[in-house]
Structures are given as structure tokens and as C-alpha cells.
Amino acid sequence: MSEPITTQRILEHVQRLGEQHPPLALASVDREVHDPAAVAARYGHVIDYLARVELEVDRNVLELLVLLPDVSEVDRMFYADVWQPQEIQHGLILDRLQQDLGRPAATPELEVSAKMKVMGALAHFSAIQDIARLLYYLTGASTERQAVLAYNIIHDGMTGLGETAIAETIIAPIRRQEPGHFAFYRMSATQLVQSGALRPWQLYLARVLRERTYNLVGVNGHDRYRAQMGGVVTALGFDADLDRYAREVGRIEAQLLWAHERGMAFPPYVLAALRESIDLYRERGFD
Ligand SMILES: [Fe+2]
Ligand SMILES: [Fe+2]
């Protein structure tokens, strides 16, 4: 394995993100849209989905506080100083774009689920909290990767449509902030596993829980969102090579959680979740 990742390195990463990436201001956006109907026809549902997910950051922070009652200082700095302030602006900017396209405002879910509260009660046991931390990092790595991939395609698509203002003053600045989030979760998960702090039974339980609870970004256990995510995956063309997409999204956990399964490019549950989403989308459509 390469050089171990230290807490100090993660801390420096978080500080750098805070300094180099201030939250985006709504006023920085050029709201010119040449052909709102064309943009809405191609990306309306995708923007709706992303706006909702970005706006749900406030619920994600509450869940985090429930799941990690003894949150570390570096984790706290990341979500409080970097992640939440950046994501909420992504949400507000995309939500306004939706409305500029003539679509209704996003309706984010801001209630912490009962399931999450049960996990939170268990997380007061430190052995369980370490498992919850690993799952939190892996979820973060997987969802941030999905965000990066989505914004890449949308940026090119908007440019192709001649919607330069959207591409350059909305999508490009948002896209620049996502890889730093991904790197934080990747480094944190790697450090936790490499440190040897998790006993074999904890890793085993983490695998079982991950397998049973894996969700694509923004799905949160709801079939309605699962179908919508299938629509997003389809609209962005990822359905043309699902293995490749699963590899991109599941690589970190394949390496950290399933290292004993030699040569696993991505965990099977990632591909299964993608297939299920797309099937549901074909059945039910976006709504
Ligand atoms: Fe974001
Ligand atoms: Fe992000």
C-alpha cells in the first residue's frame, strides 16, 4: 500500500478546501438561458433531482449528528466549514435554475428517518460508531463521485446546447467543488481502514450493512427517488455502459471493504442498485 494517510493530511485537505473554495454566491450566476424549453426537455428532470439532493444537505448534517454523536474535530470542520456551506449553495443555485426553466421549486426531505434514529441510538456504543463512521465515509465517496460524473456530462451537454452561461457560471463552478468532497471521504475511509482500528467482526458487519442498505445518490430508500435516479442515469447516458459506471462509483469500497475478494472492480450491490433504478424508471417514469 502507498504512504499511509494521516489525520494531519486530512486536516490540511479540509483547510485547503475552506480557503480555496468559498461557497458560491447566487449573484455570481449569469442567468441567461437561450432556450429554456430545450434545456428543460433535455435536463429538466436531472436538474430537479440534483437540486433536491443538494438541498438535502441540511438533513444529511442532522443525520450525521445522530449517527456520529462523538464526531471527530476534522469531520466536524469538514461538514460545518466546507461541505454544508458549499452544498447548500449548489442547491439554491440549481433550484433557481429549475425555476428559470419554468419548473417547480425542489421539495427536499428534511426529516431524519426513524431508521436513522435507531442506528443513532446504537451508535452510542463506540464499536458501532466506528462502523457507522466507515459507512458514512463510503457513502460520501460514492455519492460525491456520482455528483462529479453527473456534472461532467451536464457541463458538456449545456455547452453543446450553446447554453454557455449555465455551463460556465453554474455547472463548472459547482463541479469544481465536488472532487474535494470526494477526496475527503476517500482519504477518511482509507485512513480508518488502514489504521487497523476496526476488528474483523466490525468490517464484516460493515459489509453486511453496506450490502443491505446501499443506495444511489439521493435515493434514501424511496422507490420514487429510485425510479427518478434511473431517469437521471439514463438521461446522462450512463446506462450505455453500466459496468463502467459501477466501477467509477464503487471502486473505493471495492478496495477498502472487499479487498479479500481479489480483482473485484466494484461490489455487485452497486450494479444491482443501478439496474433496479433503471428498471423502475422504465416502469414508472420520472414521477
Ligand atoms: Fe454539490
Ligand atoms: Fe459534494
Side-chain angles (χ1 to χ4, degrees), residues 62-281:
L62 292 176
E63 287 172 346
L64 180 60
L65 293 172
V66 168
L67 275 184
L68 304 178
D70 302 316
V71 67
S72 75
E73 180 55 16
V74 182
D75 285 352
R76 194 201 57 75
M77 276 177 63
F78 175 70
Y79 78 72
D81 302 344
V82 176
W83 189 64
Q84 192 277 346
Q86 291 185 2
E87 302 290 26
I88 198 75
Q89 290 309 107
H90 299 176
L92 294 172
I93 288 171
L94 291 174
D95 191 36
R96 192 176 64 183
L97 171 61
Q98 276 182 291
Q99 293 172 65
D100 285 349
L101 297 176
R103 304 180 69 85
T107 47
E109 303 223 7
L110 299 173
E111 272 292 306
V112 175
S113 70
K115 220 192 249 173
M116 202 57 92
K117 288 179 186 155
V118 172
M119 268 302 283
L122 290 171
H124 285 277
F125 299 99
S126 72
I128 302 291
Q129 178 153 189
D130 287 341
I131 300 171
R133 258 179 77 203
L134 179 58
L135 296 176
Y136 156 65
Y137 296 145
L138 292 176
T139 300
S142 173
T143 54
E144 296 289 351
R145 190 78 192 115
Q146 291 170 73
V148 174
L149 295 172
Y151 290 126
N152 281 344
I153 300 283
I154 299 167
H155 180 266
D156 293 353
M158 293 290 185
T159 305
L161 289 174
E163 299 290 350
T164 324
I166 300 179
E168 297 313 320
T169 73
I170 296 181
I171 308 300
I174 292 177
R175 169 172 79 160
R176 268 197 291 278
Q177 297 192 327
E178 304 295 359
H181 304 167
F182 170 75
F184 167 81
Y185 293 119
R186 177 181 50 76
M187 290 164 86
S188 300
T190 306
Q191 195 236 6
L192 182 55
V193 171
Q194 282 181 351
S195 73
L198 296 168
R199 309 287 307 271
W201 74 266
Q202 288 174 302
L203 283 166
Y204 172 78
L205 196 50
R207 278 183 211 108
V208 171
L209 287 169
R210 190 70 178 146
E211 221 162 15
R212 300 219 176 140
T213 61
Y214 183 81
N215 272 306
L216 295 168
V217 63
V219 167
N220 205 26
H222 297 286
D223 271 351
R224 176 156 174 255
Y225 297 147
R226 199 167 274 129
Q228 291 182 356
M229 182 58 187
V232 170
V233 167
T234 306
L236 298 181
F238 296 130
D239 57 330
D241 190 347
L242 270 191
D243 274 39
R244 184 165 161 219
Y245 188 71
R247 211 157 44 234
E248 292 283 344
V249 166
R251 181 180 292 131
I252 299 299
E253 55 202 277
Q255 288 169 357
L256 293 176
L257 216 44
W258 306 90
H260 56 291
E261 306 261 355
R262 297 195 312 137
M264 183 195 268
F266 53 81
Y269 52 79
V270 176
L271 188 62
L274 283 164
R275 290 223 172 96
E276 198 188 352
S277 265
I278 291 171
D279 286 350
L280 265 181
Y281 170 64

